[in-house]
Amino acid sequence: MKVLKFGGSSVANAENIQKVLAIIKAASDPQIVVVSALGGVTDLLIKAGTLAEQSNEAYKDVLQKLETKHLDTARALLPVTHQSSCLSMIKQHFNELDEICNSVFYLKELSLRTKDRVISFGELLSSKIISAFMLSQGLEHDWLDSRKLIKTNSNYGFAAVNFSVTNDKIAYTVTSSHKNLFLAPGFISSDDHGNTTTLGRGGSDYTAAIFAAAVNASSLEIWTDVTGMMTADPRWVLNAKTITHTSYQEAMELSHFGAKVIYPPTIQPVMQKNIPTWVKNTFAPNEAGTVITGASDQQGEIITGISSINSIALLSLEGSGMVGIPGFSKRLFEALASEKVNVILITQSSSEHSICVAVNTNDANKAKLAVDTTFEIEITQGRLEPLKIETDLSIIALVGDKMRHHTGIAGRMFSALGRNAVNIRAIAQGSSERNISAVISSDDVKKAVNVLHEAFFETTYKQLNVFIVGAGNVGSKLLDQLKQQQQFLLEHLNLQVRITGIANSRKMLFVDNGNEINLNIWKEELEKAEVMNLNAFVETVIQKNLRNSVFVDITANPDVAAVYNKLLEKVVSVVACNKIAASSSYESYSKLKSLAKEYNALFLFETNVGAGLPVIGTLNDLRRSGDKVNKIQAVLSGTLNFVFNNYDGTKPFTEVVRQAQAEGYTEPDPRLDLGGTDVMRKIMILAREAGEQIEMDDITNNYFLPASCFEGSVEDFYTEMGKQEAHFKALYDEAAAKNCKLKFVAQYENGKASVGLQHIPSNSDFYHLYGKDNIVLFYTQRYPEQPLVVKGAGAGADVTASGVFADIIRVARV
Ligand code: ADP
Ligand code: ASP
Ligand code: MG
C-alpha cells in the first residue's frame, strides 16, 4: 500500500484536482490519498474567525467568498447529474461554519479549541469534494474521517498524537475494508473528548506520514508544487536544484530549519518504519523529485541544502553571577518550558558569562516575563541583567550529513557571509555536525541564503549585481559589451552579471528585486525612469542589499567619487573609471583603500591609467610578488599622443585637438589633457600604487600650453589655441630639426615625479608610438635595465569600457 498526499496548491482548483486524479489513477498499488484544504483556504478560515472575534462583520464576506470558491470547484468538477448532493453537503458545512463564527462574533472570543473547529472545515470540504469527484469518475473508495482515526491530546492548534491508539485504529479500518483506495482529510484529528484538534500548520504532510506508518506503507509520496526538496527555497534562490536523494536526518534538519516543503514532524513516523518518502511535483509528475531514505547520497555534494526561519527573537541572559555556578541553564530552560516556549537554537560562550537562545518572536514577551521572574533575586542583586530581547532576526542553516567528514565548511560559510556584509549575531553547530546555523538580521536573510548557495553549490552560478552611474560614451559601450558577453560568462565562468541599476546625470533606473535591466532596451527605459538623485541612488543600492554588489562610476564627477566610502562600508565594491578619487589627496585615496580592505570589498580603478591596458594590475602583481619599482617612464595621454602624432603644421593645432575630442579621447574639458593635469594624475596614481605617499603638488609640470589658454570656457580655449598657432608650430619645428618626435612624458623615480614635453629620438622606446597609444616602462629590481613594457591603445570608449568590464569581473573572482 502507498500513501499519497496532495498539498493545498495541488488541489487549489478544479483544473489542478484533475491532475491529482490522473496521478491517483496512474498508480496501480492500493492507496491512501490524503488531501489538504484548497490552497489558501486555511488562511481565510483563520481570517474569518479572527474578524468575528474582533466583532468585525467582514467575517461574513470571507465566509461567502469561501463558500463560492468551494461551490464553483464542485460545479466545475462534477457532471450536473452528480452535483446536487455535493453542493448541498457544501452548503450544510457552511451553515455550520456560519453558526460557529456567529457565536464567536457574539462572544468576542475565539479559543484555540474553536479555532481548530473552524479551520478543520478546510480539509473536510476539500476531501469531500474530491471524494465526490472520484466517485463520479468511477473510482470506488472509502472516505476516512481522520478525526476518528488520529487521536491526540488536547493541545489545540498543535496536538500531540497518541500513536498506539492511532496506529491500531488506522490499521483496523484499512484492513477491515475490502477497498483498495482510501481518501482522507489531512491536518485534522480529535482528542479524547471527541473535540476536533489539528496537527499544526502544514500538518497534512504529517497526517500522511501517520497513515503510512500505521499501515506499513511501501512508500509515502508528498505531492506539491515544486519538484522535490531543493537545495534552497526556490522562491528565493532562482537556481536552486532538486536534491535527488537525501536521508531522513537531513530532511528533518532542513525542514526544522525552515524548508517548508515538508512539515517537520512528518519524518519521524516514516523514519521509524524506514518507509521511503518521495517529494514530487503535481504539475510535473514525470520528474523524479526527491527520495528520502535511511542513508543520503554518498556521491552528492557536501552540503545538502540551505534553509532559513524568519520571525526569530534572540534572548540573552547575561551577568557575572552566572560564572562557575551550576544550575543557571537548567533554571532558564525550565522557565521557558513552563511557558511552552520552543527553543530553536542555543549558544553559550565558554566564559559562561552569557547564554543566548533563539525563539519565535511571538514567544519573546512571555519568555521574558517567565525568565525575569525566575531570576528576580539575582537581577535585583545586580548579579544578572534582565533578559535582553532582540527581534527582526532570522536563522540560516547549512545542512548536510557529509559535513562531519570535511573541514573548513564553517570557515567557508562565514567568510562568504562576511564578504557580503551579513552580520552574524549568534552561531550554533549541532554535535552531529549535520547542521551549522547562524542568527542574522531578517533584512539580510534572502541575500545570505543566496550567498551560501553560491558558495556551496559549485555547479550553480555566481551572481554579480551591477549598478552603473554614467551612461555616456564609455557607459554605453560597457553595456553593449556586457550584453554581448552575458551568455559566455554564464557558460564559462559560471557568472551571471546582472545590471540592476543605471543612471546618467538626468535619470536613474532600477528594477524590482529578482529582475535585471533588459540590455536591449535600457536606453528607452532609462529615459522613462525617475529623475537622478545621487543620494537616492546610493541609498537604493544599499537598501537593495543584494549579494556581490558592484558600483561602477563612469563619470568624471567629484560628487560621485565622494560616495565611494559610504558604499565600501556596506561591502559594495567600487569600480571607478572616474580618476578623481584615486588622484585626490593621499589621505582620501588611502582611506578608500583601507575601507575596502576593512570591509572586504574591492576598490578598483584600472582604467584610471592607460584605459583598458593592464597597467595598474601589472604594477600590483609586481609588488605583490615582492618586486620593487625603481622608475616608471610613460606616455600616458592618449589625447596628447594623438595630437602630437597628427600635428605637423599642415593642419592647425586647434583643429587636431578638436578631432581628438570628437573621437572621444579627451576629458570633457580638453585642457585637463593639454595642460598635463590628466597625466599628472596618472603618474601620481602609479606612484601611489608603487608605494609612494605623493600629492599633486609634489609633481613638476613642464607644460607647453601658453597660460592664456587656461582662461575662459572650452570654446575660448579653442579660439585662444588658434591664436597661438605659431607657438605650437615652433615646438614642432624645433623637434623635427633634431629628427625627434614630440611626446608628453611622465616620469617617476626616487620619490619624485614630473611631466612635460620631450624630444624623442628614434632609438627611444617612445619613438614608435602611434595614434592614441600609451606606453609604460616599469624599471624594477627584477627588470633593472630592460624594462617591463605595457603598450597599446590608451584611450577610446571601447578599450576603456573593456577595462571597466575586466574590473567588474575581478570583483566576482575573489
Ligand atoms: P503544499 O501546499 O503542497 O503542502 P507548501 O507550500 O507547504 O506546499 O510547500 C511547498 C513550498 O515550499 C514550495 O512552493 C517552496 O516555495 C517552499 N520551499 C521552501 N524551502 C524549500 C526547499 N528547500 N525545497 C523545496 N521547496 C521549498
Ligand atoms: N491546510 C493546512 C494548512 O494550510 C494543512 C496543510 O495544508 O498541510 O496549514
Ligand atoms: Mg505543506
Side-chain angles (χ1 to χ4, degrees), residues 5 7-8 36-37 42-43 123 187 200-205:
K5 177 261 170 176
S36 287
T42 312
D43 286 339
E123 268 71 8
F187 187 47
R201 293 303 309 271
S204 296
D205 297 337

Side-chain angles (χ1 to χ4, degrees), residues 59-69 94 98:
Y59 80 88
K60 292 184 180 157
D61 300 335
V62 178
L63 289 182
Q64 188 56 54
K65 197 171 137 196
L66 278 170
E67 183 170 351
T68 310
K69 181 184 176 87
F94 274 95
D98 279 338

Side-chain angles (χ1 to χ4, degrees), residues 356-466:
C356 258
V357 295
V359 303
N360 187 292
T361 305
N362 293 334
D363 289 338
N365 287 335
K366 66 179 179 188
K368 177 163 171 62
L369 204 62
V371 174
D372 285 351
T373 312
T374 300
F375 293 106
E376 202 174 350
I377 298 174
E378 286 86 348
I379 293 170
T380 339
Q381 292 172 346
R383 291 193 290 136
L384 280 187
E385 308 280 326
L387 189 73
K388 256 201 325 221
I389 304 184
E390 281 171 84
T391 53
D392 298 324
L393 299 173
S394 297
I395 295 179
I396 39 166
L398 215 57
V399 174
D401 280 344
K402 288 189 283 297
M403 245 153 65
R404 84 191 92 162
H405 305 302
H406 278 84
T407 50
I409 303 292
R412 237 159 100 190
M413 172 174 182
F414 295 115
S415 66
L417 293 174
R419 267 204 309 277
N420 276 282
V422 177
N423 187 29
I424 316 274
R425 299 286 306 106
I427 300 173
Q429 174 170 28
S431 59
S432 67
E433 288 191 49
R434 190 177 287 122
N435 172 334
I436 308 176
S437 350
V439 179
I440 60 173
S441 159
S442 296
D443 290 341
D444 287 335
V445 67
K446 183 175 174 190
K447 177 164 88 170
V449 171
N450 277 288
V451 162
L452 294 181
H453 201 266
E454 277 172 5
F456 286 98
F457 294 97
E458 284 157 13
T459 48
T460 67
Y461 49 80
K462 184 168 181 175
Q463 184 180 88
L464 209 58
N465 290 292
V466 182

Side-chain angles (χ1 to χ4, degrees), residues 560-572:
V560 182
V563 302
Y564 299 170
N565 55 354
K566 207 165 166 188
L567 291 157
L568 291 169
E569 280 169 6
K570 296 287 176 188
V571 197
V572 174

Side-chain angles (χ1 to χ4, degrees), residues 533-582:
N533 171 318
L534 182 62
N535 281 334
F537 191 94
V538 171
E539 279 315 313
T540 310
V541 174
I542 292 170
Q543 181 255 322
K544 277 189 179 279
N545 199 10
L546 297 172
R547 65 191 184 281
N548 309 318
S549 290
V550 195
F551 177 87
V552 183
D553 175 6
I554 322 184
T555 70
N557 185 334
D559 295 340
V560 182
V563 302
Y564 299 170
N565 55 354
K566 207 165 166 188
L567 291 157
L568 291 169
E569 280 169 6
K570 296 287 176 188
V571 197
V572 174
S573 289
V574 173
V575 169
C577 184
N578 186 345
K579 285 191 239 350
I580 290 176

Side-chain angles (χ1 to χ4, degrees), residues 112-133:
L112 288 177
R113 181 168 117 187
T114 309
K115 188 173 169 188
D116 268 0
R117 187 74 196 288
V118 170
I119 56 181
S120 71
F121 279 85
E123 268 71 8
L124 281 175
L125 284 158
S126 67
S127 63
K128 287 185 176 180
I129 294 170
I130 293 168
S131 174
F133 177 49

Side-chain angles (χ1 to χ4, degrees), residues 5 7-9 223-226 228-230 232-235 259-261:
K5 177 261 170 176
S9 46
W223 290 83
T224 181
D225 59 354
V226 285
M229 280 197 105
M230 308 188 85
D233 188 337
R235 281 169 305 183
K260 185 190 170 213
V261 62

